[in-house]
Structures are given as C-alpha cells and as structure tokens.
Amino acid sequence: MLKLLHILVICSVFQKHLSYAQDQSHFIYHGFNGTNLNLSGLAIVHPNGLLELSNISYRQVGRAFFPLPFKFNKSSSDDSQSLSFSTNFVFAIDPERHALGEKSGYGGHGFVFSILPSLEFAGSSSIHYFGILNLSTNGLSSNHIVAVEFDTIETPDCSDINDNHVGIDVNSLTSKISAPAKYFSDNEYKNLTLISGDPMQVWIDYDQAEMILNVTIAPVTITKPEKPLLSEYIDLSLVLLDTMYVGFSSSTGSMASYHHILGWSFNKGGPSQSLDISQLPPLPPPPASPPPSGPPQPHPLLTFVGIIIISLAVTSVVLILIIVAVCIIQRKKKFGELREDWEKEYGPQRFSYKDLYKATKGFKDKELLGFGGFGKVYKGLLQSSDTQIAVKKFSHDSEQGMKEFIAEIASMGRLSHRNLVQLLGYCRRKRELLLVYDYMPNGSLDKFLFQNDTPHLNWVQRYQILKGVASALLYLHEEWEQIVLHRDVKASNVMLDADLNGRLGDFGLAKFHERGSIPETTCVVGTIGYLAPEVSRTGSFTTSSDVFAFGTLMLEVACGRKTIEPHRPAGEVVLADWVVESWKRGAILEMTDSKLKGKYMVEEMELVLKLGLLCTHTTPTARPTMRQVVQYLDGKAALPEIPPDNTPRIGLVILNQDLSTSHEYSSLSITASVLNFGR
C-alpha cells in the first residue's frame, strides 16, 4: 500500500510539472529567493535575493535560467502571437575593486539574455562567447539561439564596435545589429556606461506580427524611453524551436566583474509586468577602506634593509624598462607597415599609418562615420594639405579580403570621373587594411531616401543625382580602356558631395575585362533586390546586370522606398511589381514619393518610372544600354512607347525563393558599402 501511495505521489508531482511547463507563460521576480532557478558555474543567489551571475574569478562562467522550457508553438497557425515575447529586468555590472575599495575600471565580457533550446552547455567557451557558444559552434544555424548582449570588452573576432555596447545576436556572437550603450531622453540619446556599477533597466520586446525585436535600456530611475536603442527586423520562426529556455549567462576572461540581476519579469505572448523598483534587493556595499593611522617608527635595522630593497627594486625596474624597450623596437620591426612587390606600381598612392592616425585623431569613436561587417569608416583631416578624407579600416584575416583590397586599389586608383568617388590612396599595417577616399560630407543617398530624420531631396536634386550616376556607369561600361562591371549599384553606394552631386563608390566587387572578351565569374555577389534575375540563375554578370540595378535605383529615387519591404501587403512587397500594377491602372504617378508633395515635372517623373521598369525587364536584351539611358535622361532621345504588359516582372514567388536561399549574395564583400555613413 505504501509503495502504491509513493508511486501516486511521484505521478502527481510529474503531472504538476508537466502541466506547469505547458501552461506557464509569464513570471515576475523581485529578488530570487525561493525561485528554483537553474544555476550553474559561478551563479549564486544571495540571502537578500540578489542574483550574482559571476564574480571576479577569472575565465569562469555563470548561468541562471528559468528551470522549465516555454512552449512557443512555432508550428501553430492559429495564434498570430505564439512567438511574441517581452521581458523586463534590472542589472548592474560592477568592476573588480582594489583593496581600498576603488574600482579598477576594467571588467569581464559582460553578459547576455538568451533564448536557447537546451541547458546542456558542453564545450561552451568562458572567454569570448558568454558561456553559450564556442569557436566551432559560433555562427551555426543549428544553434537556434537568440540573445541580447551587454558587452564591456571589445572583441575583434566578433566585430564588436567598442567596449561598451548592446547587440542583438542570432546563432552567433557577431551581432546582427549593435550600438553604444545609450538611452533616449529629452529628444536625444544620452550615453550610459555599462560597467559603472549603477543599476540599469532593460526592456526586450518581440512582435511576431511585425517581426520586429526592440531593445531599450535606461538608468533604473528613468521610466521606459519612447524610443528603443536597437530595433531589428527578424523572423524568429526560422530560429526558435517549439520549446525554449530563457535566462542569463556571463563569462569572465583575464579580467572580471560582478554581474548582478536584481529583478526579472517575462511574458510569452504579451507585455511583461513592470518591475517595482522599491521591492528590488540592494546591491552589496563596496569594501570598506582601512582606517588611517600614523606612520610607525622604523627600526634602524629595518631602515638599512629597506634601502637595500629599494636599490634592488630600482635596478629591477631599470632592467624591465630596457627589456620592454627592446621588445617594442622588435615589435615595430616585425609589425610595421607591410610592403609587397605589387605595391611598387601604386607607390605614390601609399599613405603612412602615422599620417592617417593623426588625421583621424587616433581612430577615435567621435570621428566614426559608419561601421558594418566590412569594418569602420572614419573622418580625417590630412595636416599636410588640410584635406578632409574618409578612411576605411578593416582586417585582412581572409584571402578574400586581400583580393578585394587589391582590386579596389587597382581599379579606383586609375579611374577618373566627376561622378565617381575618388580613391586617394591606401595603407597596410599589421593585419589592417586602410583605404583613403575623398570625404563626402553628405554621406550616402539611402539615408536621404529612407530615413525620416534627414533633410529631404527635392525632385531637381534627385534627377541630377540619377543623371550623374548614369554618366558614371556609361564611363565604366564604354568610355574607359576596359569594360568595368560595378556589380553593386545601389542607393547606399551612391555618395553625395557638398553640392549633393551623386558619386558612385565601392569598387570592392568590380569586375574588369578586355573589350570583346567574355567576363568569367566564380561566385554570385551583390545585394538582393538589385541582382538581375539571370545573375541568380547563371552567375553571369554583364553590363546589362548593372543596368538592372540602376533601374531599381531609379524606382527607389522616384518612389522614396526600398525595392523590397517584406512587412508590406503582398502586392506591395516588391517595388517594381507595385509600379507596374499602378501603371496598368493608369495611376503610375500615385507611386511618387509623398515627401515631394507633388512638386516635380510630370514628364521627368513618368520618364524615370517607365525607364526604371524598362531597365529592370526580366529579359536582358530588352533593357537599354547605359548610353541610351543617358540620352533618355538628357532629353536627347525619346523613350519608346512600351505598354505595361510588355514589362514582365521577376515575380514575388521567385524573389521570395531568392530571399530564403541566397542571403550570402549580400555578404560576400568585406568592403561592402564604402563610406556608407549612416549604416
């Protein structure tokens, strides 16, 4: 009888936990006493309820996860919010303190809030990967991990932007998007220092319907800001599994910090509950400084011993300084600027690293113009000529990066046209590559077209920009000594000078071949939305492929929106399809950018829209050449009458297939988006 009763109790407990795992959708903790979190590594809960993820132990991991998985019902088609979630927590990162209670100013690798499929962490790294991934697993789509990192170490291997940033990670610790720690208040973003030891509050919200993940951060005394720090389009149905765990993980390296979580709320399917700051446990006080005391009177013998010790110490310091000086000299010789035989042809274009370092004020963040997967772009001023420049700086860890670096020097160094961004020179040092360009004070065209916080371009300016880019492409295709295929014509690669003239830049993907020869390619490169359909099928690039991309650019300039916007209704996702349908209804001018407020020449607007559709024709031979495009835009030739039914589109179904299987097209170039100041 007792045995039967024991079995019934076990079954009851098992059934209770099973039901809890199925029904649990939210929780809120003001402190963590009695919460039964799954703790591992350094993680502990203090008697006052404070959760400590890690301490000042080196090269260790601390994790704290909710003990049961959440059902995200990824396969369910009934609940439109089955993947939505929201979480709110308060944290504090306190660096290692000296014996007198003073902060060292240095810390470990920060921590992440993560959603992952398992609490088995075999082989995870405690150094660069926050205790959830390692070098071999980082970046694998099979990880099924979504994380938000709060990082206090700049790790070049993960392309970190600085040592005080917040980032959104998907299956990799190389963030999809990141930004320096800031919060929005009084109509501006204000700086935060993650490792200050002060408590900060975080809100992470994912809306499945919009497929938008927002991350907001602020001091604990501030209510939730109106604008998030990060906002990224992510389809989590491609990442999350049906059951997932939520929690925190941190790691320490050769430097360490105290990582504390004071309170946490989570809700799957709706907004999380707001934390009551007054109910959160207090942070531990800093170690007390020893009381001051008068200096002890030294014994004569101790004084003599002290003199000997000081003498030995001074001698040791001198020897150490000599050794350090020798090491520095040897290091400079070993890691000085690299020079190879091929560079002799471009010797006059080479800048010294010292000059570029001074020009950019030591590559400080305040001189940063933009950053991305390719590296960073800095504004500079050459002291010798008082010339403003833009310096693109990236690593050449890969052979592909070196090939593109050489290609850009060899190509842009010899090209000369008023509507091309001029390459002024280059530099190589250690494992860094640097390209020097004319500074474009107005940045890239895409920010004027697609961002609401920038001045709007009027129609006259837009039309002149299109004519300028068309003239540059005609020069590349027909007027230079070789045929140059740009292969990455898009709004973010069109730069605007001080007079808002359009200049085509970024030749990292350019392909050169002799006239009369057939260009050969080994891989498909470019950006989805600008790739001609024959390129994705055959991998073959021609001048007609550049014409297709320019046609897409024309439609974007006229309509003021991106060529692909997945969040729109089905008939409006692909811009060219939408323009064709409007043309068929006799309402093509309804597609014009509303920011123009109807202030444009009707004939020019119709020309740009119809010529853009002709350039994006699915049949390459039906597209005009760039010489014909320039003649149409200059009014020297009349655009032939083309019924809208004779401008077939690539089709939404085919495009969706490309989007799901060809993401690598837009990420093959380390030098992508040269001088893209806003991205």
Side-chain angles (χ1 to χ4, degrees):
M1 185 64 181
L2 290 175
K3 185 176 182 181
L4 177 61
L5 180 60
H6 185 241
I7 293 174
L8 290 175
V9 169
I10 294 175
C11 292
S12 174
V13 171
F14 177 82
Q15 183 65 31
K16 178 179 178 181
H17 281 282
L18 179 61
S19 174
Y20 186 81
Q22 293 173 341
D23 298 338
Q24 176 73 14
S25 64
H26 61 86
F27 59 79
I28 182 168
Y29 297 140
H30 293 90
F32 297 87
N33 278 333
T35 56
N36 196 31
L37 292 180
N38 187 309
L39 304 178
S40 61
L42 297 175
I44 61 170
V45 175
H46 287 269
N48 67 350
L50 180 68
L51 171 59
E52 183 180 282
L53 286 177
S54 61
N55 52 38
I56 57 174
S57 300
Y58 299 140
R59 302 183 183 277
Q60 299 294 320
V61 169
R63 307 185 189 94
F65 282 79
F66 190 79
L68 299 175
F70 283 85
K71 299 286 288 184
F72 279 84
N73 296 323
K74 186 179 103 171
S75 58
S76 173
S77 60
D78 298 331
D79 187 356
S80 62
Q81 295 297 321
S82 61
L83 297 183
S84 297
F85 69 88
S86 175
T87 189
N88 174 207
F89 58 88
V90 174
F91 76 92
I93 303 178
D94 201 359
E96 181 178 357
R97 296 175 182 269
H98 297 308
L100 298 182
E102 298 175 348
K103 297 180 180 180
S104 66
Y106 301 96
H109 287 276
F111 73 98
V112 293
F113 167 82
S114 59
I115 302 178
L116 39 74
S118 171
L119 297 185
E120 298 293 330
F121 299 95
S124 60
S125 171
S126 64
I127 301 177
H128 301 313
Y129 301 97
F130 296 106
I132 59 175
L133 292 173
N134 58 39
L135 180 62
S136 62
T137 60
N138 189 45
L140 298 180
S141 59
S142 58
N143 291 332
H144 298 288
I145 291 177
V146 179
V148 177
E149 67 177 60
F150 303 84
D151 202 354
T152 54
I153 290 290
E154 182 177 0
T155 305
D157 292 344
C158 295
S159 300
D160 286 347
I161 59 173
N162 62 20
D163 59 356
N164 183 56
H165 66 271
V166 181
I168 295 176
D169 306 334
V170 177
N171 293 327
S172 170
L173 270 302
T174 299
S175 299
K176 286 178 64 66
I177 182 175
S178 62
K182 295 183 179 181
Y183 69 101
F184 188 82
S185 178
D186 298 328
N187 294 321
E188 64 177 354
Y189 281 95
K190 300 181 179 180
N191 293 327
L192 283 172
T193 301
L194 296 176
I195 200 168
S196 64
D198 299 325
M200 301 177 193
Q201 189 162 192
V202 175
W203 299 263
I204 302 174
D205 306 286
Y206 178 70
D207 187 333
Q208 181 188 353
E210 298 291 337
M211 296 187 185
I212 296 295
L213 180 63
N214 290 327
V215 179
T216 309
I217 186 172
V220 75
T221 55
I222 302 296
T223 57
K224 185 177 182 180
E226 296 177 357
K227 293 185 179 181
L229 174 62
L230 300 176
S231 185
E232 179 72 354
Y233 173 85
I234 302 176
D235 185 0
L236 289 188
S237 66
L238 304 176
V239 182
L240 299 180
L241 302 180
D242 284 343
T243 58
M244 304 289 288
Y245 292 85
V246 299
F248 305 90
S249 180
S250 68
S251 62
T252 63
S254 57
M255 295 179 287
S257 307
Y258 294 94
H259 297 86
H260 294 122
I261 307 296
L262 289 74
W264 180 24
S265 69
F266 181 88
N267 188 11
K268 184 189 69 63
S272 58
Q273 291 180 260
S274 297
L275 294 170
D276 185 348
I277 304 303
S278 64
Q279 296 185 31
L280 300 180
L283 291 169
S289 301
S293 59
Q297 297 297 322
H299 190 277
L301 180 59
L302 294 179
T303 302
F304 176 74
V305 173
I307 294 174
I308 295 177
I309 293 175
I310 292 174
S311 300
L312 292 175
V314 170
T315 303
S316 300
V317 169
V318 171
L319 289 174
I320 292 173
L321 291 175
I322 293 174
I323 294 172
V324 170
V326 171
C327 291
I328 291 175
I329 294 173
Q330 291 179 343
R331 185 175 181 85
K332 285 185 176 181
K333 290 181 179 179
K334 182 177 181 180
F335 296 105
E337 297 183 18
L338 303 175
R339 293 183 183 272
E340 297 180 13
D341 293 340
W342 65 266
E343 298 182 72
K344 295 178 181 178
E345 181 179 353
Y346 309 105
Q349 293 178 311
R350 176 148 187 164
F351 287 85
S352 71
Y353 184 82
K354 181 179 179 180
D355 288 344
L356 298 183
Y357 187 88
K358 289 182 178 179
T360 58
K361 298 178 182 178
F363 297 101
K364 297 296 184 183
D365 284 346
K366 65 180 180 180
E367 302 300 321
L368 187 65
L369 296 173
F371 55 85
F374 61 89
K376 298 180 179 180
V377 179
Y378 296 87
K379 178 181 177 181
L381 179 67
L382 290 175
Q383 299 178 0
S384 58
S385 59
D386 200 31
T387 302
Q388 284 189 315
I389 58 173
V391 182
K392 182 177 67 173
K393 180 181 181 183
F394 52 95
S395 168
H396 65 81
D397 289 339
S398 66
E399 181 181 354
Q400 179 73 13
M402 176 55 67
K403 288 180 179 178
E404 292 172 359
F405 178 75
I406 296 173
E408 196 151 359
I409 294 175
S411 60
M412 289 191 67
R414 292 183 290 147
L415 296 173
S416 179
H417 189 275
R418 65 182 179 277
N419 294 110
L420 293 177
V421 177
Q422 185 63 47
L423 176 69
L424 302 178
Y426 72 100
C427 177
R428 295 177 63 200
R429 176 182 177 271
K430 299 182 181 179
R431 300 170 64 184
E432 294 176 337
L433 309 175
L434 301 98
L435 294 176
V436 183
Y437 299 88
D438 277 337
Y439 173 62
M440 298 287 107
N442 283 308
S444 56
L445 175 60
D446 61 332
K447 74 175 184 180
F448 285 89
L449 295 178
F450 310 135
Q451 295 182 15
N452 295 324
D453 57 351
T454 56
H456 302 311
L457 297 171
N458 61 40
W459 177 246
V460 174
Q461 293 167 332
R462 298 188 191 202
Y463 198 74
Q464 288 302 317
I465 290 170
L466 288 176
K467 290 174 64 176
V469 176
S471 175
L473 283 172
L474 173 60
Y475 169 78
L476 297 177
H477 289 180
E478 300 185 23
E479 297 177 350
W480 198 56
E481 61 190 56
Q482 291 179 295
I483 297 176
V484 184
L485 305 179
H486 187 277
R487 303 202 299 173
D488 203 17
V489 178
K490 58 183 177 181
S492 61
N493 285 341
V494 175
M495 313 309 298
L496 304 181
D497 62 18
D499 298 320
L500 293 175
N501 296 311
R503 296 196 186 187
L504 185 60
D506 192 350
F507 280 70
L509 300 183
K511 189 74 174 179
F512 289 66
H513 64 93
E514 300 297 331
R515 300 192 179 278
S517 65
I518 300 177
E520 297 181 357
T521 57
T522 57
C523 62
V524 177
V525 294
T527 302
I528 288 179
Y530 294 87
L531 280 174
E534 70 273 8
V535 173
S536 59
R537 291 194 304 268
T538 67
S540 175
F541 284 90
T542 64
T543 55
S544 184
S545 308
D546 279 350
V547 173
F548 182 95
F550 180 73
T552 301
L553 175 66
M554 295 178 73
L555 296 178
E556 290 184 330
V557 169
C559 301
R561 57 150 283 188
K562 297 180 180 179
T563 182
I564 301 173
E565 294 186 350
H567 64 276
R568 287 182 176 268
E572 302 176 7
V573 171
V574 182
L575 177 58
D577 291 351
W578 196 13
V579 175
V580 167
E581 292 305 316
S582 298
W583 188 9
K584 290 179 180 179
R585 293 187 290 104
I588 193 171
L589 291 179
E590 291 181 0
M591 296 299 302
T592 59
D593 190 351
S594 60
K595 294 190 289 291
L596 293 173
K597 299 180 180 179
K599 297 179 180 179
Y600 53 81
M601 290 186 63
V602 173
E603 295 81 2
E604 289 180 349
M605 181 62 76
E606 287 188 350
L607 171 64
V608 169
L609 288 169
K610 293 178 182 179
L611 182 56
L613 291 175
L614 182 60
C615 289
T616 56
H617 199 289
T618 55
T619 303
T621 55
R623 301 170 198 154
T625 65
M626 284 311 302
R627 182 170 296 279
Q628 291 174 311
V629 170
V630 170
Q631 291 174 345
Y632 295 145
L633 292 175
D634 287 341
K636 296 180 180 179
L639 184 69
E641 290 294 332
I642 310 166
D645 292 335
N646 289 347
T647 57
R649 302 293 94 214
I650 187 173
L652 182 59
V653 174
I654 297 176
L655 185 58
N656 282 338
Q657 292 174 352
D658 288 342
L659 285 170
S660 63
T661 61
S662 305
H663 291 293
E664 68 273 19
Y665 295 174
S666 61
S667 61
L668 290 173
S669 173
I670 286 182
T671 62
S673 303
V674 174
L675 308 184
N676 187 355
F677 296 168
R679 196 166 79 181

